[in-house]
Amino acid sequence: MEENLPQTQQRPNYEPRFMLSGHTMSISSLKFSPDGAMLASAAADKLIKIWDTYTGDIIKTLHGHSGGISDVAWASEGEFLASASDDKTVRIWDFNLGTAVNVLKGHTNFVFCVNFNHKSNLLASGGFDETVRIWDVARGKSLKILPAHSDPVTAVSFNFDGTMVVSCAMDGLIRLWDADSGQCLKTLVDDDNPICSHVKFSPNSKFVLAVTQDSTIRLWNTQTSKCVKTYKGHTNVTYCLFACFSVTGRKAIVSGSEDSKVYIWDLQTREILQVLDGHRDVVMAVATHPTKNIIASAGMEKDLTIRLWFDE
Amino acid sequence: MPVPSLKGKEVDYSDIALPSQDQSNLATLPSPPPWPTSRSEFPTRERTHKILFDASVDKDRDGRFRQLIEKIQQLDPNSEHRIKGKGKGKELLYRYEGEVVEGTRRLQSLRPGRGEFHIIKYEHDQHSVGPPPPTAVLAVNISPLTSNQQIRRHFAVHGRILSFEPEIDKTTGSALGIVYIKFSTHDEAKICVEKEHGGKSNGQGSTLSIQTIPGEELKVVLDDDAKSKLRAILRELDDRRRKGKEAALIKKKEAEAGEPFFPQHAIHYLLILGLLLQLSQNQASPACSVTDKESAFHHKWPIKPLLTESALPSSVLPIPFPLIFKIEITIEVPLTDLPQTWQSQREVVDAELERNGNEYVTIEESGGGQLGSHVKEEDVRRFFDGFKVDKVLRDHLGWCVTFQTSDSARKAKTVLNAGTRTLAHTSVMLSVHTPPSSWTPSMRAAAPSARETSRRWRDGDIAEEAERLILKELRTLLERDVMDRVIGVKLRQMVTDEKERKARGVKVDFLEGDAASEEKEKRGLKGLSFKKNRVVKPQPPPTVEEHSVTEVSPSREADEDQVDELEAVQRPKKRQRVVTEDVTEPELEVSPAVEEVEEDDSALSLQDNIAKRKEPPLADSEDVRPIKKSKATDKKKAESKPTAVEEQSPTPDVVIPGDIDFEVPVITEVRLSPERDSSAFATPEPTSSWSDPIRDGLFEDDEDMYFAKLALSRTSDGEFIVPLPRVSAEEESDPDAPPPFRVHSTGSARTEGYYKITHAEKTAYVTQYTAQAKAANKDVIPEPAVVAPTPTVTSSRSNRANARRRAQGIEEINQMQRAMQLSLGETPATDQVKFNQLQTRKKHLRFARSPIHDWGLYAMERIARGEMVIEYVGEVIRAAVADKREKAYERQGIGSSYLFRIDEDLVVDATKKGNLGRLINHSCDPNCTAKIITISGVKKIVIYAKQEIELGDEITYDYHFPIEQDKIPCLCGSAKCRGYLN
């Protein structure tokens, strides 16, 4: 029956295709390049590795950080990457050169998350010093320091047009900021504010997807400051797991889980569409391909593999 | 009243066995009085009996009453009147009409009989009237050279000191030796007076730990809170000073007039005395205090009058005041021609000051001391940045700064004394002085004396010898001080170092392999340092003269710190020589030439050189570098360890060796390091080419260097574990250092997962916490170089962030307390410390009379639209209670209503308890709105700004009273006024 439905209505059927191994410590972040041809993985072993999405080959290894890496982000042209590390710096890497072109120093403690805006002229980073910093990528200078939270900032993200920044922290607050003025526009907070692991704008920037460490993923409407959807079923109580929108097939939410699985929920109906089983440890990092039905997921210490799941 | 005797019966009690202590008493028990006793002529209604023993309530511990009862029962047929109650052991023993039965305990009268009226004294308590008993003491005759800490320590023995106020001379800021100490109780003060009064100290062997003025007893008296005695003393001092000056002036005039009464010689003598008098009295005229060269030196030192024969008022109080001195010219102090140098310096400064003509400023350290020698003219100029500084002058007394405009000096004083700027990292006090004119009294006094010195040496010598006397005493004191503070501390440190080293001995031995003794270990370390291979480059040895010239530079002599330094230079060196023998020994073979001249200095400097030279080869191999460096420093430490000066010696000169003109790091303590100076001189030229180790003589050729590199890089493989414990020891030894960042065992922050970060840990890296901590103890934690981009925008936000953090901190404390209580088995109390977030967001407001009604609330800052203004705080009561209260308030005549309904059930009553929020008036066109918000489950009334509120606007909101029959008129005066509140 489902075969007759258009692709956007079909149940996903992801199958594992590649197992990429190379990292020697827990993989903390995975990101597909903007064109989807490459996958960047950052790990606690201080390395960033770039993989070919379609062949599973390793393309490059970027080293230079003196601390484990917590997050990595691609600039929109796919030429540069930014990484956030325990060495309190954010490094900007030139993918072609394979070296760091800029080291952004300023955070007074571990940097936890990093993201470019769509134009890739700005970069937002957050860390254990409880600030969100907005950087001018070209000059490598800090433009703004937002005393955003009272606990480590776990995620920052620009909206589509770069006018807003959303940040969340272990204090359980999700804040929306005006990217130009640095003013806090809104604070999304639940009654029992659980630790917030990850936050990102929906592709249309009207919603914010927030992962919290009460094993729940919520979708907030930024206009009304209301929680519109709640996704449950996975386990998340310790780690700052990632969650992604999957927009290539049926609109779905993809997230890792501490029970070593990857969960895919239907965006609208909130039902679990598929559970990807295979990793042998907590799946912290997941990424969805921008154009194809591909999901990348990575396990922690006991697993250390990146798996690419394809649905065709 | 005579005791009635028992009717006609003589009883021998002696056969009764009684408990030990009362045996004698009972033995002499008289016969019981007759019963019933004869009634008094005037019967009273008073009770005529007393129950001596009631078996049901009294305890008959030793069986005394039991026996007594039995005895009486036995003896007295009418005993049923005296003994009531039935049953053995349950009787009551009565006594009638004051009859005393021997053997019952009689209370001894506590009060002796009094023959006269007497005023009752009560202990002072909260019901007492009149002033409380004095809890303060006034101690005088303390040597002004005693440090305040020392005095405090001395007196703290007697009790808790609430306040400690050493008196200082108002004109010079020097200590007077008068201290007003307030204890916490009267008893403590009394004990203090008893113990301390009359104490005397004239040397080491005295019981007092503080010095008194030589020859005087320490006087300690009780003083009241109003400090009446202290004031009296100070007044007396002022008086005497004034009179003394007048007298001196008169004398001088007489002397100038050439009174025939005095022989020429006597006049000169008097002149000098006048001068000295002036000096030691800390002249009131500011001009004198600076223009006179010796004054600053002398004024700290009390010169005891030994021979008082003068027209001046004789001293009532034993405050040191020199009137006439008997100077013994017997002391041999090898002084150079310092006074002449000072004199010339002083003259130059005076001339400059006079030429300038404007008021000038002198700089003194806040503590009252003189500034150290490390202060440079640029520092001073920088300090006075923004003022029109004309000239910065320096003499042996300190710094004088003149200004281009006449009022700058005062301005500078007011601005800079506020303490915002520091001069060479020390806070300083400025004092303004009027410029010297060419004919100030002191100049007059100085001039003849100068003339005199050229003509009559005998008299000039007197002044000089007085100076020497003082110097000598100063020196002995300083020596003791240095002994106590510097050497004692070092010794202790050395001992602990030694212990530590022995404890680590096993690990250190690893380095050597077969070395067993420490001696060998050291040599082993040296062997590793390639010193033997080195071609000795003879350093120009520092000459002793050079050293002494700079150290004992004449301009410094007067400066207390300077003398201190001088002492420090000499003293530790001796000790060092003893201790460093084993270190210097290997040096001998390397550089005998250097050693000959100045063994310890050269030893140190050479060690430094070794440390330095170890660095060159590091330059070319980057990955080996950090380890090697740490090794080098480690070795350096190992070498210099026995010298007990390890922290001080290497650091400054490694940075800029030989450059004498470098920025001296701040010296907070008197822990002066002679090594710093000496090594600065000992290495006049830095090893100029660090880049080339071969040329430097460290290695003979490339091959040698290669092996050296190899040897050093091996440390990176962890073969030598020496550096590690050292590092950890250092970390542990520094409690002030911020806690080190957590090391994520899994590699990165994200992979670590969530963990609790305590408030204390956060202070290490979050600026706001750091700022808070900084407020507590200033320059301990360096502020991270973070620049807030737009403070205006972020201020309120960061305020709130701070408030949240504070709330979190308090929450942590509460949790800890709860956990502690649980562990103790108690039921945890509710949060001890509650935190009201709203409180911190409150705006600056004030209340004043309002045109609307009675009092109103006004904004003292601009409040943006939507911002919170204030919370409406009051008792939260039920609606029913509120109704009752409302009526009660009406009855009591409280016209204004401060009841605010939260919801159906609850009302906030701010009539009796509340905050400024209750004063906000109603307006039909308000600038604020009241909102009911829920904070952690509790509903609160918060007033928010509805529009921009300008400075000084009255805060109003709409009361939204329900419509009622009896109307309350509205006086809000706005255009939209409805006329009534309800």
Side-chain angles (χ1 to χ4, degrees), chain B residues 364-547:
Chain B
E364 218 180 48
E365 216 173 296
S366 294
Q370 295 273 333
L371 280 169
S373 59
H374 58 274
V375 180
K376 293 196 173 43
E377 186 172 337
E378 304 90 82
D379 294 334
V380 179
R381 284 204 180 266
R382 209 174 308 131
F383 182 66
F384 282 98
D385 187 30
F387 299 97
K388 289 171 182 164
V389 176
D390 182 31
K391 277 210 166 64
V392 177
L393 306 163
R394 182 174 197 180
D395 62 6
H396 66 281
L397 301 177
W399 294 91
C400 297
V401 182
T402 58
F403 296 93
Q404 286 159 6
T405 54
S406 55
D407 54 346
S408 288
R410 303 227 164 248
K411 276 189 201 161
K413 186 190 165 204
T414 43
V415 170
L416 298 176
N417 273 2
T420 46
R421 286 193 209 177
T422 55
L423 175 56
H425 308 289
T426 45
S427 57
V428 293
M429 290 294 290
L430 305 182
S431 42
V432 177
H433 303 282
T434 48
S437 69
S438 51
W439 207 233
T440 56
S442 68
M443 288 289 279
R444 237 182 309 169
S449 75
R451 268 204 311 276
E452 198 47 42
T453 39
S454 57
R455 260 192 286 160
R456 279 175 161 272
W457 279 104
R458 276 189 64 82
D459 293 341
D461 281 349
I462 293 173
E464 234 173 75
E465 287 307 325
E467 221 173 84
R468 284 178 198 175
L469 186 73
I470 291 155
L471 262 179
K472 194 193 165 199
E473 234 167 317
L474 187 64
R475 184 163 295 194
T476 50
L477 254 180
L478 272 169
E479 259 171 13
R480 225 184 55 194
D481 235 15
V482 169
M483 206 63 171
D484 284 356
R485 296 192 186 169
V486 183
I487 299 180
V489 169
K490 286 248 173 110
L491 258 174
R492 247 170 283 140
Q493 189 189 335
M494 204 176 71
V495 168
T496 46
D497 269 9
E498 193 70 18
K499 274 186 193 160
E500 196 183 315
R501 202 160 54 93
K502 273 186 182 155
R504 286 189 296 117
V506 190
K507 278 175 184 171
V508 181
D509 280 351
F510 201 143
L511 249 180
E512 239 274 308
D514 59 343
S517 71
E518 281 166 22
E519 189 84 10
K520 275 191 178 171
E521 167 216 315
K522 251 169 261 143
R523 281 163 197 277
L525 278 169
K526 279 198 196 297
L528 211 78
S529 73
F530 305 101
K531 203 159 53 115
K532 294 259 163 68
N533 298 347
R534 180 170 54 130
V535 178
V536 177
K537 197 161 102 186
Q539 306 275 347
T543 57
V544 181
E545 293 92 85
E546 194 183 4
H547 188 152

Side-chain angles (χ1 to χ4, degrees), chain B residues 840-855:
Chain B
T840 59
R841 287 169 58 182
K842 200 180 92 176
K843 295 288 175 219
H844 189 198
L845 307 164
R846 71 176 298 174
F847 66 95
R849 283 286 172 188
S850 160
I852 301 176
H853 178 76
D854 223 0
W855 293 98

